[in-house]
Amino acid sequence: MTTFPSISSLGENSSVIQNWCERNNYSYLGDQGGEIQITASYSTEARFTYLEELGSISDEIYQLELSGELPRCKVNIICSGERALRYALNAVSFKIKRGEWREGVEFDYPRFPIRGIIEGFYGQPWNQEQRLSMLSFIASNNMNTYVYGPKDDVYHRERWQDLYDEESYTKLGDVFSESTALGLDFYYCIAPGLSMRYSSEEQFEALVRKVRQIYELGVKKFCLLLDDIPEELQHQEDIRIYSDLVEAHIRLVNRFYTEIMNWDAGIRLVVCPTQYWGNGNERYISLLGSSIHPSIDLFWTGRNICSPEITLSEAAVFTQNTYRKPLYWDNYPVNDVEMTDEMHIGPYRQRDRHLYRFSRGVIANGMEYAESSKISYATIASYLWNPEQYDPEASWRDALKEVVGQSDFEHMLQFADNVRYSCLYLTDSPMLAAELTRFNFSYFYGDRKQAIDDLERFVLKMNESAAVLLSGGMENQALQKELKRWILKFSVGIAVLQDCMNYIRSQSMDDLMVVRHNYELYRSDLTYVFSDVLSSFLNKVLEEYYSAK
């Protein structure tokens, strides 16, 4: 377990450092007495306020100078603003937790300007405790944006015209306040498209009134979601007035944007179009992009709803046809709708390492399983900070340690390696697959007994991990509860593997019948673990591929 040194600070930014310490479980001792002494100052020099490679102003640049060895050492931070100071402090914490403390100077900044998550899935929205915990988590991983838009919040979509009741409004205000305190941009989403009559003055006024209620909390960033609705006009009044859906949407977006900008010049708007995936040059998205105000960002998921990869050429096509860089709504790790049997806790992959040069940023859609989502989110945060140096596997292992806890890491790694399947990783179980490949070769071309013994040792190691994860004693109890269904399937799969080893060793038809029976039970549970790796091996066993004859 990591021992956190105490911290003291000097200078005008001590209140920010104190607040950060309190939120991250460090003991803060004021201006003296701390084992780590931190001095922080803001700079308006160009190198701290302007990113040459991106040609943009930034408040997220910092320089970190470390001197001395833990636990007694000094930290000097120069940065562009409060948000950058938080990132520098996060860097100090990561170095302590990962044993990477080194004297020296480093200059760092994020590559993507917008880095965050959206609570935008179908299913049970996160409760308030989960939501607030998630805000703290993404802030500690240097994300800067939280987007509120759960599909099953009735006030967001189904009852979009209705003002929030007092209790719901207060909770939303608390989320906004906490986001602000953590240095996160809070976006509120409203999704009127399922029922809205675009030609109705009354309904437009209802939309404005609802968003005004949220603005009065202090919110200045909004998303108008027009996704997952019919692709043609539904109301006769609209059909008479507009030639098609995109004309209605152009009119709505521009009028809505003009209205809210009259309240405050600092307001920002993102629109999710009805056609939110594809090549980026289709008629709807091209007309919408070329016709709405250039300051409005557009969400885009890539060439698929859940895109297996996102490339620079795809971003270029979108930019050329919509006259703006895409803001990616990335549907990972979300596992709603047809994906509910899957658990997406693998690392972020297949996004171009130069994508930051051709996009506004990435907002990652989560699962209703909040704790489980954090594993993938940590890897996404790592990619978004510096995609050119991003290592998916190294980041994933760091994420597992952070979310699961060091004491359960090795056992969780054994399990998690068998639930990687998603749109980003269309196979699974790389460690098991490699072990089965070695077994297959050794069984037929080497020492057969040794091959069986080696595979059994591997299976017993997995079985030990399954037993620990099912014991109820995990450090992260909320995570254990969320993953229980998949851990149980993992355990059942291991048991069938053990049955296979018994048969291969004994060559008994009775043992083969046990494999057949238990394999049918295993297949009857649609929970997705092992992908095809285990099934392929089991089918070979049932076909008597490993017959000793």
Side-chain angles (χ1 to χ4, degrees), residues 486-511:
W486 286 268
I487 299 172
L488 283 169
K489 182 65 178 288
F490 175 61
S491 180
V492 172
I494 293 167
V496 179
L497 260 176
Q498 290 176 314
D499 294 335
C500 290
M501 302 316 299
N502 292 338
Y503 159 70
I504 293 172
R505 193 181 291 279
S506 72
Q507 296 294 302
S508 163
M509 289 298 103
D510 288 341
D511 285 341

Side-chain angles (χ1 to χ4, degrees), residues 32-44:
Q32 58 185 352
E35 293 166 304
I36 299 180
Q37 296 182 354
I38 299 178
T39 303
S41 60
Y42 296 148
S43 173
T44 58

Side-chain angles (χ1 to χ4, degrees), residues 29-258:
L29 301 180
D31 60 1
Q32 58 185 352
E35 293 166 304
I36 299 180
Q37 296 182 354
I38 299 178
T39 303
S41 60
Y42 296 148
S43 173
T44 58
E45 291 182 36
R47 66 191 296 257
F48 288 104
T49 57
Y50 183 74
L51 295 175
E52 289 280 354
E53 64 180 302
L54 296 178
S56 63
I57 301 295
S58 175
D59 65 348
E60 299 187 309
I61 307 168
Y62 70 82
Q63 177 178 287
L64 184 64
E65 180 179 3
L66 308 179
S67 57
E69 295 295 328
L70 291 172
R72 295 200 171 274
C73 49
K74 293 183 178 181
V75 175
N76 183 47
I77 300 170
I78 305 174
C79 53
S80 54
E82 183 175 317
R83 183 175 274 177
L85 174 55
R86 293 177 185 275
Y87 300 155
L89 294 170
N90 287 343
V92 170
S93 185
F94 276 127
K95 292 176 185 298
I96 294 171
K97 292 177 181 177
R98 297 174 182 173
E100 298 174 356
W101 191 274
R102 302 287 187 276
E103 285 192 300
V105 178
E106 64 180 55
F107 184 81
D108 208 358
Y109 53 90
R111 275 55 176 181
F112 283 91
I114 300 177
R115 311 176 306 282
I117 69 169
I118 179 168
E119 187 181 345
F121 48 83
Y122 291 94
Q124 181 64 41
W126 297 332
N127 62 40
Q128 192 75 340
E129 181 181 357
Q130 291 171 323
R131 195 170 286 128
L132 296 178
S133 172
M134 185 64 78
L135 295 178
S136 178
F137 181 82
I138 64 172
S140 70
N141 280 275
N142 293 354
M143 285 185 170
N144 61 13
T145 303
Y146 167 75
V147 182
Y148 178 85
K151 290 289 194 292
D152 290 341
D153 171 3
V154 294
Y155 286 107
H156 157 73
R157 187 171 171 88
E158 181 182 335
R159 294 173 54 189
W160 64 269
Q161 299 180 64
D162 297 343
L163 298 180
Y164 278 88
D165 62 62
E166 184 176 352
E167 180 181 0
S168 301
Y169 189 61
T170 299
K171 286 183 176 180
L172 197 60
D174 290 342
V175 176
F176 168 68
S177 297
E178 181 69 0
S179 298
T180 303
L182 289 166
L184 299 170
D185 290 333
F186 175 92
Y187 283 78
Y188 174 79
C189 298
I190 188 165
L194 275 178
S195 62
M196 187 176 191
R197 295 194 305 278
Y198 302 110
S199 56
S200 168
E201 190 68 24
E202 180 182 352
Q203 293 206 349
F204 179 79
E205 290 175 358
L207 174 65
V208 172
R209 181 169 60 250
K210 176 69 164 287
V211 173
R212 181 79 190 194
Q213 184 191 32
I214 308 304
Y215 170 73
E216 288 172 357
L217 290 171
V219 177
K220 294 186 180 182
K221 294 179 171 64
F222 300 97
C223 301
L224 180 62
L225 305 188
L226 301 169
D227 57 317
D228 295 351
I229 62 173
E231 296 181 2
E232 297 180 354
L233 294 168
Q234 300 297 298
H235 301 288
Q236 288 302 313
E237 306 97 300
D238 292 341
I239 293 171
R240 285 195 298 269
I241 293 175
Y242 303 108
S243 60
D244 56 14
L245 186 69
V246 69
E247 183 186 351
H249 284 176
I250 291 167
R251 166 68 173 162
L252 171 66
V253 169
N254 281 332
R255 187 181 180 196
F256 179 68
Y257 181 72
T258 299

